[in-house]
Amino acid sequence: MANWEERIRTFWLKAGDADAILSLMQLLVAERHDEDPAALYEWASVQDFLGREAEAIPIYRRALDLGLDHVRRPQALIQLASSLRNVGETTEAIRILEGIGPDATVADAGEAFLALSLFDAGRPGDALRVALKALGKTLPLYRGVVDHYADAIVDSK
């Protein structure tokens, strides 16, 4: 039998209906103790995946408070912020996302979610600036000019 981490990875690769997904994750989470941050994170993730962001938010927070490993922590922060954005708490989402830097797990994904949150917060210029700066990192020829144009964007609040 595969270890728990391998079964979690396999779980996320499989598709299924909501009831099956929820039941299978519930079985996986039940194998761990109640205060296991990884299990809490996975439970929050499945809630989030099923469109139950409001239910996921306090579970993400608890998992983060208990201390997640270096792989799950940045994912949990991004997913928490995304859930907050989806329930209309854009100010808190922005605060969280502005504190996330690139890392080996999420690369610059936080910037994409920050741009979405800024846009939802009525700050389209800031959103475009963040998105262009993220895009600029991938441009071999025009990075400098795109960064320059991004810096010149003025948000009309």
Side-chain angles (χ1 to χ4, degrees):
M1 177 186 251
N3 74 29
W4 191 79
E5 292 290 348
E6 290 168 356
R7 288 183 288 129
I8 288 292
R9 278 190 290 279
T10 300
F11 168 88
W12 287 112
L13 294 174
K14 292 184 177 186
D17 67 39
D19 291 334
I21 289 172
L22 208 54
S23 295
L24 181 54
M25 182 56 78
Q26 195 168 27
L27 291 172
L28 288 165
V29 167
E31 294 177 23
R32 308 293 280 238
H33 63 82
D34 290 345
E35 296 293 301
D36 181 282
L40 288 168
Y41 163 77
E42 297 298 342
W43 185 244
S45 294
V46 82
Q47 298 298 320
D48 199 355
F49 179 77
L50 294 172
R52 301 173 179 173
E53 292 93 345
E55 290 88 344
I57 290 168
I59 305 168
Y60 281 135
R61 286 185 171 137
R62 183 69 183 139
L64 286 161
D65 288 346
L66 290 170
L68 286 166
D69 60 76
H70 71 281
V71 172
R72 284 187 174 98
R73 181 173 176 70
Q75 293 175 74
L77 289 168
I78 288 172
Q79 290 169 212
L80 170 59
S82 178
S83 291
L84 288 164
R85 174 185 147 302
N86 286 335
V87 299
E89 295 183 37
T90 56
T91 301
E92 187 174 359
I94 291 167
R95 183 190 58 75
I96 291 168
L97 292 164
E98 286 179 333
I100 297 174
D103 81 353
T105 303
V106 298
D108 293 316
E111 291 177 273
F113 290 92
L114 177 57
L116 290 166
S117 295
L118 289 165
F119 184 81
D120 286 355
R123 297 168 54 188
D126 290 338
L128 180 58
R129 185 179 315 102
V130 167
L132 286 173
K133 287 206 165 272
L135 175 63
K137 295 175 191 177
T138 70
L139 302 175
L141 294 177
Y142 299 103
R143 178 181 185 168
V145 71
V146 169
D147 278 349
H148 175 74
Y149 288 142
D151 289 337
I153 294 171
V154 176
D155 205 341
S156 57
K157 286 186 185 180

